[in-house]
């Protein structure tokens, strides 16, 4: 049932405030997280963790990339991330006290499951899955499960699964980090940002009409570039994946500082360049990267914090995103990028919910 929406994808995009709220349910106190909710013996297992290895595919891998910025940058714990299809076929070194974290909507992705089974033969201290399906193989076979409460996701292009994964991974960051770099004050600040997250996401969805208005200009394009810096780089990667998946437009993402090292050569007036620009410490650096794009005639679309000081001008369209706590900005900026790819696909007339050549769950290699 599409609940009155034209596509499942749009319905699932609009469900995000509610499903993120469901994912927070039972996991937050007023100023602290409730780590017992991860499963039996969670605290004893978390006590042993000295580093984290994340393994996942596709959109779930992008969630893992965001988590790396949180786990290293906020919790102060070493974290590595790898796509499952690479991880399972290479030799690697497991350092003592490493927690293996899988991330998966379905819990049945063949490569991710194979990576978990491989890890169980090795010296990981424990395994944890961030997963959306309670009866899945990943949940059954992992020591701990941090369930996302996204409900069934029908659209092949993952939307609400991703934002609930990020929500769960931020909770995991706090659980790990309270044993390292996160003190009570910091924990309370993150918990407060999480409490207000559903409301913040709802305000981002109000951008729908505005984004629909710019989507038409993408429909006849063959290529697009997505730029971000720091923790927003994986969000740009996810934005590019959404666009290629459902609109079949070739989209690439780069950390904006890499532009000069090659991709700038692609930029001309037929190349839309999408940038994610929250008001963070990398904003000024990002702005100078974007000036380079403008100087080459690139058409810029900047999703920017209202306080970031961008103004519409020729070649530069600003989509103002509501201000949020910096820590939850990656979750917030995901929504307008999902809406952009959705509306571009609708303009192009592609099969939004069932893109060609793709399956919802990749249970074979
Ligand atoms: O079920 P999983 O999260 O393990 O699936 C992983 C990928 O196959 C999945 O995220 C895929 O990339 C989506 N179609 C992206 O929208």
């Amino acid at each position: 049932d599409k609940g009155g929406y034209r596509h499942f994808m749009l319905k699932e995009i609009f469900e995000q405030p509610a499903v993120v709220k469901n994912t927070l349910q039972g996991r937050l106190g007023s100023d602290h997280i409730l780590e017992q909710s991860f499963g039996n013996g969670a605290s004893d297992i978390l006590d042993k963790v000295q580093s984290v290895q994340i393994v996942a595919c596709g959109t779930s891998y992008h969630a893992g990339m965001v988590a790396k910025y949180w786990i290293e940058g906020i919790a102060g714990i070493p974290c590595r991330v790898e796509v499952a299809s690479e991880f399972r076929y290479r030799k690697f070194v497991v350092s003592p006290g490493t927690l293996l974290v899988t991330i998966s909507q379905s819990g049945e992705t063949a490569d991710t499951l194979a990576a978990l089974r491989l890890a169980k033969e090795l010296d990981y201290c424990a395994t944890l899955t961030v997963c959306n399906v309670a009866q899945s193989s990943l949940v059954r076979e992992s020591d701990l499960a941090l369930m996302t409460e996204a409900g069934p996701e029908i659209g092949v292009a993952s939307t609400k699964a991703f934002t609930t994964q990020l929500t769960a991974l931020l909770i995991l960051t706090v659980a790990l980090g309270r044993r390292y770099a996160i003190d009570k004050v910091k924990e309370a600040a993150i918990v407060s940002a999480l409490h207000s997250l559903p409301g913040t996401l709802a305000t981002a969805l109000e951008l729908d009409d505005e984004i629909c208005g710019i989507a038409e200009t993408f429909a006849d394009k063959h290529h697009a570039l997505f730029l971000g810096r720091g923790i927003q780089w994986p969000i740009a990667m996810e934005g590019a994946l959404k666009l290629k998946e459902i609109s079949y437009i070739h989209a690439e993402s780069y950390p904006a500082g890499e532009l000069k090292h090659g991709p700038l050569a692609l930029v001309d007036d037929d190349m839309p360049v999408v940038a994610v620009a929250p008001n963070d410490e990398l904003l000024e650096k990002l702005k100078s990267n974007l000036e380079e794009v403008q100087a080459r005639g690139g058409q810029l679309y900047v999703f920017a914090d209202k306080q970031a000081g961008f103004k519409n001008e020729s070649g530069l369209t600003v989509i103002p995103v509501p201000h949020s706590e910096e820590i939850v900005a990656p979750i917030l900026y995901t929504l307008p990028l999902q809406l952009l790819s959705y509306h571009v696909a609708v303009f192009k007339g592609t099969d939004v919910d069932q893109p060609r050549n793709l399956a919802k769950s990749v249970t074979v290699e």
Side-chain angles (χ1 to χ4, degrees), residues 21-271:
K21 194 167 181 198
N22 293 345
T23 302
L24 295 172
Q25 189 75 38
R27 304 236 165 82
L28 299 185
S30 57
D31 60 357
H32 60 285
I33 59 121
L34 307 169
E35 66 185 30
Q36 314 82 285
S37 62
F38 298 13
N40 281 342
S43 296
D44 291 342
I45 291 177
L46 295 171
D47 280 345
K48 291 187 213 136
V49 177
Q50 297 169 42
S51 75
V52 178
Q53 170 72 60
I54 298 177
V55 182
C57 301
T59 289
S60 299
Y61 167 69
H62 295 154
M65 283 192 66
V66 172
K68 179 185 165 84
Y69 285 86
W70 283 331
I71 293 172
E72 294 218 332
I74 298 167
I77 301 170
C79 177
R80 298 196 296 190
V81 193
E82 193 160 344
V83 286
S85 56
E86 288 297 317
F87 176 84
R88 63 179 288 203
Y89 290 119
R90 79 176 177 93
K91 291 202 170 63
F92 48 81
V93 180
V94 185
S95 42
T98 302
L99 176 70
L100 189 280
V101 175
T102 55
I103 308 172
S104 174
Q105 188 286 127
S106 61
E108 302 296 347
T109 298
D111 284 319
T112 311
L113 188 56
L116 171 66
R117 288 177 180 160
L118 168 73
K120 288 168 80 173
E121 310 287 306
L122 302 170
D123 286 339
Y124 287 94
C125 72
T127 58
L128 179 150
T129 188
V130 173
C131 188
N132 197 42
V133 179
Q135 308 76 17
S136 64
S137 306
L138 279 179
V139 172
R140 271 199 315 273
E141 297 183 27
S142 301
D143 298 320
L144 295 177
L146 188 44
M147 299 308 301
T148 49
E149 302 293 342
E153 192 181 60
I154 309 293
V156 166
S158 187
T159 53
K160 61 178 181 167
F162 181 66
T163 45
T164 53
Q165 284 167 350
L166 292 179
T167 304
L169 287 162
L170 187 49
I171 295 172
L172 176 64
T173 301
V174 177
L176 293 166
R178 61 192 352 185
R179 292 162 168 84
Y180 288 86
I182 299 182
D183 61 16
K184 282 208 158 66
V185 177
K186 219 177 210 173
E187 175 162 347
I190 298 173
V191 168
S192 149
L194 281 168
H195 276 302
S196 44
L197 182 59
T200 314
L201 296 181
T203 59
L205 294 172
E206 291 168 12
L207 293 166
D208 189 36
D209 284 344
E210 193 169 343
I211 293 171
C212 182
I214 60 165
E216 198 170 1
T217 59
F218 281 70
D220 66 340
K221 299 289 188 262
H222 297 288
H223 309 276
L225 203 54
F226 284 69
L227 302 175
R229 290 196 73 126
I231 200 165
Q232 295 289 351
W233 172 38
I235 299 306
M237 294 173 78
E238 174 59 10
L241 177 63
K242 287 291 87 95
L243 190 69
K244 56 188 136 185
E245 213 176 4
I246 60 169
S247 74
Y248 316 148
I249 293 174
H250 167 225
E252 277 199 80
S253 63
Y254 272 93
E258 274 289 295
L259 265 180
K260 278 199 190 92
H261 301 285
L264 199 54
L266 291 169
V267 173
D268 63 13
D269 58 9
D270 207 27
M271 167 76 110

